[in-house]
Amino acid sequence: MTETTDAATREQQALIDTLPTDFRWGVATAAYQIEGAVAEDGRTPSIWDTFCRVPWAIDNNDNGDVACDHYHRMPADVALVPELGADSYRFSVAWPRIQPHGRGAINEAGIGFYERLVDELLARDVTPWLTLYHWDLPQELEDAGGWPSRDTAYRFADYSMLVFDRLKDRVRHWTTLNEPWCSAMHGYVNGVMAPGRRDFAAGMQAVHHLLLGHGLATQRMREAAPPETQFGITLNMSTNDPATDSEADREAARNADGLGIRIYLDPLVHGRYPADIEADLAARGAELPVQDGDLQVISAPLDFLGVNYYFGVQLSGVDEQGRTIGQDGSPVQREVPFGEPTTAMGWEILPGKFTELLTRLGRDYPGLPIYITENGSAFDDQPDETGYVADGGRTAYLASHLAAVAQARRQGTDIRGYFAWSLLDNFEWAYGYAKRFGLIRVDYETQQRTIKQSGYFFRDTVRRVRDRQRSPDRG
Ligand code: FCB
């Protein structure tokens, strides 16, 4: 076996080695990013199919029509999961495969695919970690108002129950939403993701209805759940530091933290929205459309929190022209680089901020076990003639971020697992196929899969941690 673990520094390796034997090691994907087969077995368009048809909404005008062709290659792809040493696989279910019209009876052919996927995983001793919503809202529901409409929350709960009833005998870990911040902000406020709307007030309505949908679905599933079933939600979070100590910068950081973290976790964990953010919204003519009883539903008990981390940011409340209010009338939030190296996404590589974020979450939202449900990096891979990629940058990112997780655990944060993003190179939303996050390379011409150096590093790290713990004297 290639000894790849020396890609980590001694210090990083020593930290990673403190992770426990029962630490969960997984890899993650999402339906629209890998499946393809968008018009098969009764699937109808989601907001992403529609958005990809908008000229230049996506780099290179790419779309998810074929993607990694995973819908047709599923058993072979599942076989790659244990090859990477992973014991768990995080995937999402495509709502328009289950309910092509966003409501009504289950589509047998659609659920059949996920039944086979789960069976395949279990046959290989891999734990399925299911996400119900990773952004592919049925287009018909968007046409009816989308997430800014309250009805979508009830539709989501109905859809969740259809999936739950069919898979609850085999799936123990259920995640309602992936990154509601992206759905609300990128989908409805800045329009860079589907459905591409630009309306701040609609975005804030979406925030509340996403959370309400999460709460309604969690309540209903839990009532019908076999013992040991666990429910959670996955949030993307960054750290938000003020660029300087000025009041304007501190204000920008407070607001970004409020809209990025507290607006989700405060209602989920504490049953209330942050008062400073409610005031900010009112000042902008927006509001969270809360009705009686909603916050009780949203704060239904959770078994775990999924954390997706990629980078931290530093913010200024003053733009380059010295203004604190931007042209669109919203308060300025300008990102000021720390000056660290970046990935191909332009995201600064800040593992220390990962530790900071995790310890803060443990402190402000105690009692909630954390799983890292995504972390990873895009780099401009250069394959050799066999398709192998010596992706030193991605490997180093993985090593430093695993060490950051171990560091946060040592500082007392209850972190139970880590899912690498991603199993495969895939359709990276608005960036199309140009950005590659896989531990496994996909040649989109031939659909050939080739494990990268980072994939071997991941595998060897998992083995090393497990072996060490089993026979500490070998240390
Ligand atoms: C996250 C998404 C995931 C992937 C990574 C890079 O925001 O959840 O689907 O695209 O970013």
Side-chain angles (χ1 to χ4, degrees):
M1 153 177 129
T2 354
E3 191 46 74
T4 61
T5 46
D6 54 4
T9 66
R10 241 165 215 274
E11 206 188 347
Q12 288 167 350
Q13 198 61 66
L15 274 168
I16 294 169
D17 286 349
T18 66
L19 293 169
T21 347
D22 62 354
F23 198 67
R24 187 179 292 281
W25 294 94
V27 283
T29 62
Y32 190 68
Q33 295 181 275
I34 62 166
E35 286 177 1
V38 291
E40 261 171 75
D41 293 337
R43 183 188 181 280
T44 54
S46 77
I47 52 175
W48 273 94
D49 298 276
T50 308
F51 192 60
C52 289
R53 289 326 188 256
V54 177
W56 301 108
I58 313 293
D59 285 2
N60 195 40
N61 284 322
D62 286 341
N63 60 56
D65 288 4
V66 177
C68 304
D69 195 32
H70 170 73
Y71 196 75
H72 300 122
R73 294 163 192 269
M74 180 271 286
D77 286 344
V78 166
L80 294 168
V81 176
E83 270 195 56
L84 293 178
D87 52 63
S88 301
Y89 177 60
R90 175 174 181 251
F91 64 97
S92 79
V93 175
W95 189 345
R97 290 197 195 281
I98 305 299
Q99 279 183 313
H101 303 288
R103 60 186 82 231
I106 198 162
N107 171 31
E108 281 300 327
I111 192 71
F113 172 74
Y114 298 103
E115 289 187 312
R116 291 194 300 281
L117 168 59
V118 166
D119 290 344
E120 198 71 35
L121 289 164
L122 293 174
R124 292 186 182 276
D125 233 3
V126 176
T127 302
W129 191 282
L130 186 151
T131 301
L132 285 158
Y133 186 73
H134 201 128
W135 306 354
D136 36 10
L137 186 71
Q139 182 59 41
E140 283 190 36
L141 290 185
E142 176 57 25
D143 295 341
W147 286 109
S149 157
R150 187 174 172 93
D151 188 56
T152 304
Y154 294 93
R155 300 283 71 76
F156 174 69
D158 286 353
Y159 150 71
S160 299
M161 280 309 288
L162 290 180
V163 180
F164 191 68
D165 278 338
R166 291 292 286 268
L167 293 175
K168 67 181 180 193
D169 59 332
R170 285 162 279 178
V171 177
R172 291 281 162 272
H173 301 89
W174 293 78
T175 298
T176 51
L177 306 175
N178 176 70
E179 304 190 353
W181 183 90
C182 286
S183 298
M185 296 302 285
H186 288 331
Y188 293 96
V189 176
N190 61 45
V192 302
M193 286 187 166
R197 286 170 60 181
R198 288 193 187 158
D199 178 345
F200 183 75
M204 296 306 106
Q205 291 165 348
V207 169
H208 182 63
H209 296 141
L210 282 153
L211 287 169
L212 182 63
H214 154 84
L216 291 167
T218 304
Q219 263 189 348
R220 285 179 56 188
M221 290 190 291
R222 201 183 284 281
E223 273 165 25
E228 286 167 39
T229 312
Q230 297 199 358
F231 298 97
I233 186 169
T234 276
L235 305 177
N236 58 306
M237 288 176 277
S238 59
T239 48
N240 299 285
D241 291 314
T244 72
D245 209 29
S246 75
E247 196 180 333
D249 291 0
R250 280 190 281 120
E251 194 43 25
R254 176 198 60 76
N255 180 270
D257 180 75
L259 283 178
I261 298 182
R262 292 181 288 116
I263 201 173
Y264 300 100
L265 277 173
D266 283 14
L268 286 166
V269 178
H270 303 313
R272 55 177 149 72
Y273 280 112
D276 62 318
I277 293 303
E278 285 182 318
D280 289 354
L281 298 193
R284 295 178 68 179
E287 63 171 355
L288 297 155
V290 181
Q291 297 188 7
D292 275 358
D294 285 1
L295 285 160
Q296 218 182 329
V297 172
I298 292 171
S299 57
L302 284 176
D303 301 302
F304 62 86
L305 171 66
V307 174
N308 293 358
Y309 171 87
Y310 290 92
F311 55 85
V313 293
Q314 200 172 227
L315 294 153
S316 170
V318 185
D319 70 11
E320 260 119 22
Q321 285 76 40
R323 290 176 305 211
T324 53
I325 300 292
Q327 266 162 344
D328 62 351
S330 60
V332 168
Q333 282 194 0
R334 180 169 58 94
E335 285 183 24
V336 180
F338 288 93
E340 294 296 322
T342 61
T343 67
M345 300 293 280
W347 297 342
E348 280 184 280
I349 302 172
L350 298 162
K353 292 290 166 191
F354 195 10
T355 306
E356 236 179 85
L357 171 71
L358 291 167
T359 50
R360 180 263 178 113
L361 293 174
R363 193 179 58 238
D364 290 355
Y365 305 98
L368 204 49
I370 291 175
Y371 290 87
I372 311 308
T373 40
E374 280 180 36
N375 174 243
S377 57
F379 284 95
D380 294 325
D381 291 338
Q382 306 295 333
D384 68 15
E385 62 287 353
T386 68
Y388 177 74
V389 186
D391 55 343
R394 188 177 291 102
T395 306
Y397 183 101
L398 188 51
S400 61
H401 286 71
L402 282 172
V405 170
Q407 178 74 290
R409 266 193 97 257
R410 287 225 311 191
Q411 291 171 8
T413 313
D414 183 7
I415 307 165
R416 312 240 176 125
Y418 176 98
F419 291 78
W421 184 269
S422 180
L423 170 68
L424 302 168
D425 289 338
N426 58 47
F427 175 76
E428 179 44 38
W429 310 112
Y431 297 89
Y433 297 98
K435 302 291 179 225
R436 294 174 176 269
F437 278 89
L439 298 185
I440 297 179
R441 178 174 178 84
V442 174
D443 177 331
Y444 294 113
E445 303 273 295
T446 61
Q447 292 292 349
Q448 188 189 314
R449 276 79 161 132
T450 311
I451 299 179
K452 302 178 192 176
Q453 182 194 342
S454 56
Y456 291 114
F457 171 76
F458 186 83
R459 179 197 68 181
D460 295 349
T461 299
V462 176
R463 288 185 182 166
R464 179 179 160 126
V465 169
R466 285 189 191 139
D467 285 357
R468 275 226 161 174
Q469 307 271 336
R470 251 185 248 126
S471 48
D473 48 334
R474 265 178 45 197

